[in-house]
């Protein structure tokens, strides 16, 4: 129940991030919905394909409904979205943390090594945003700016440490999620960026 | 037999749409062929991956040959393609309808719920064009303009109604296809567009 | 052992090609690593998904380590990379040949027809570069310039001829690889390009 509320919050925040960028590019309603949906479910879909499992959203309409809700929200509160930025940043971060934990646990359950699980957690959390940026024809944001995907890696390492210390799934997941949230908030607050690669010329 | 002729017409039209856009971007022969092929088979390939089934074209060279035929056509009739636009529009619409029906039926046969089948029908019909536009580095056309993917959704709902009324596969498929064709032609004829999302500023 | 050395050389060259282009676009360290990794493993991952097999890199950390090594190399030798261009061209070509052979053999082992195997060999060799170019938001290079993917097709046909002549896996693979290398080197040396499609206007 608690996890479902987080899932709703996270999916909504991811979908809204896609829909807002689509609206900035003058997509129509259908295009905005598809970009929102892809942002929300794209990472998890890639994970499930790589794990040879049926994509999670194909038997559960929850994610489609969430995205529809996000579309209505963006249309209704268009003028207030900028004021809600802090809230959506928080919700997006909660989604990132939850998706990372889900990705890690599903990969471990499928019998893959831990480093694969950390990659899958990162892909689940940050992959949707890459699809979003490809669809709006921009260089993916997570490759250029912000500690975003890296927060999932930090959380994944925290999960690994908890796991090695003998903690259970629930505790490890909570601690992992807390690390993701903390890493992202600290990075934004202290404006921590990864160094950019120098070009050759 | 009748279905195979439609499949040829549809695949050819999809491939040619990809090859023409590739030629406008000065792709070489190989690039144009790949973009044409991806336009023709991309949607169905995504569907088959999501359904955990081997992609349909991997055991049947028909689609590769169709695409080669499309490439020869574009080279031979380059100066007349614009005059053929109405024909290609019709063939493309036939392909859209057939691919939507195929996607719906394959998904239902795999045991997924009806709303998943409608999504898969839409993906089968409209997905190839998204790959095409990503490859030529443009924002996907179906997100900005034209009732295209939405015609598949309309057809999918028609299929669902027929199915609930107890009609068989063949009748439901035909009616679904007719609705796709009708929705697209009416939309183009009466210049019906979805509203564009207003941006925030 | 010999194959593993080639695999290291090829993976490194592919990763470095991705990292260099990412650095030209001012990606951060994480983005450059992801683009490098996708260039190195993207083609093989698509192949494995299409063959319904678990992606090769998910149980073997070798490819992640190679890519990390490539990132360090680009940072350390930034000013000398242009001077190393001939070496990297050679290594990249070796990778292309090896990946093409791997793709062909894995597809034949899965029971698909030979023409599918040639497509899969080409996808394994050239697919990573397409992902790379989509991520850096450019029209894929292999669609516009250079005999690159086509060298894999040439090699694939050579494999087929050897196979029909009754040669074993090892000989066929070696001859296929030699043809890939030869085709690419000759094409670059004699500046052989495929013709570009004329646009309609």
């Amino acid at each position: 129940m608690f996890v479902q509320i987080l899932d709703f919050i996270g999916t909504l925040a991811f979908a809204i991030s896609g829909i807002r960028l689509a609206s900035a590019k003058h997509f129509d309603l259908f295009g905005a919905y598809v970009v929102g949906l892809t942002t929300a479910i794209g990472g998890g879909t890639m994970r499930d394909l790589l794990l040879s499992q049926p994509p999670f959203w194909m038997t559960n309409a929850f994610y489609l409904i969430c995205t529809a809700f996000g579309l209505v929200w963006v249309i209704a509160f268009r003028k207030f979205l900028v004021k809600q930025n802090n809230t959506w940043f928080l919700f997006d971060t909660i989604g990132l943390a939850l998706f990372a934990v889900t990705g890690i646990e599903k990969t471990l359950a499928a019998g893959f090594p831990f480093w694969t699980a950390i990659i899958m957690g990162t892909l689940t959390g940050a992959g949707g945003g890459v699809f979003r940026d490809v669809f709006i024809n921009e260089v993916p944001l997570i490759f250029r700016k912000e500690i975003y995907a890296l927060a999932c890696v930090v959380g994944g390492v925290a999960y690994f440490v908890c796991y090695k210390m003998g903690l259970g799934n629930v505790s490890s997941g909570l601690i992992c999620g807390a690390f993701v949230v903390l890493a992202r908030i600290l990075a934004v607050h202290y404006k921590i960026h990864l160094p950019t690669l120098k070009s050759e010329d």
Side-chain angles (χ1 to χ4, degrees), chain A:
Chain A
M1 181 65 192
F2 174 64
V3 169
Q4 263 191 339
I5 292 172
L6 293 186
D7 202 10
F8 177 74
I9 287 174
T11 304
L12 191 63
F14 273 49
I16 283 180
S17 101
I19 294 165
R20 288 177 74 175
L21 286 170
S23 84
K25 291 257 176 171
H26 309 295
F27 281 37
D28 66 19
L29 280 177
F30 175 82
Y33 183 82
V34 172
V35 174
L37 186 63
T38 314
T39 312
I41 68 172
T45 303
M46 267 310 291
R47 174 203 62 209
D48 289 344
L49 287 179
L50 293 169
L51 295 178
S52 310
Q53 295 183 4
F56 65 102
W57 54 268
M58 284 175 64
T59 46
N60 184 350
F62 174 77
Y63 302 93
L64 275 90
I65 295 166
C66 267
T67 304
F69 196 76
L71 185 60
V72 171
W73 189 279
V74 169
I75 294 168
F77 296 106
R78 183 170 61 88
K79 294 188 174 166
F80 308 98
L81 282 169
V82 174
K83 282 186 194 162
Q84 299 168 359
N85 267 349
N86 284 336
T87 310
W88 289 119
F89 170 77
L90 189 67
F91 283 14
D92 194 272
T93 305
I94 290 169
L96 185 68
L98 177 68
F99 293 1
V101 172
T102 316
I104 289 169
E105 297 191 337
K106 216 167 171 178
T107 310
L108 290 178
F112 285 97
F114 222 107
W115 59 266
T116 312
I118 296 180
I119 294 176
M120 290 294 155
T122 309
L123 178 64
T124 311
V130 174
F131 284 110
R132 176 196 67 203
D133 295 342
V134 168
F135 281 171
I136 63 167
N137 204 16
E138 298 280 352
V139 169
L141 194 67
I142 63 157
F143 294 159
R144 290 177 297 133
K145 272 191 186 179
E146 286 192 35
I147 304 290
Y148 191 84
L150 209 60
C152 297
V153 178
V154 169
V157 172
Y159 198 112
F160 179 65
V161 171
C162 294
Y163 183 86
K164 281 288 161 197
M165 284 166 60
L167 271 71
N169 267 3
V170 178
S171 324
S172 301
L174 282 172
I175 292 172
C176 166
F179 265 85
V180 175
V181 170
L182 208 69
R184 177 142 158 73
I185 288 179
L186 287 179
V188 167
H189 190 258
Y190 291 105
K191 299 199 169 72
I192 301 166
H193 296 294
L194 280 179
T196 298
L197 251 72
K198 277 182 192 149
S199 67
E200 286 163 42
D201 310 317

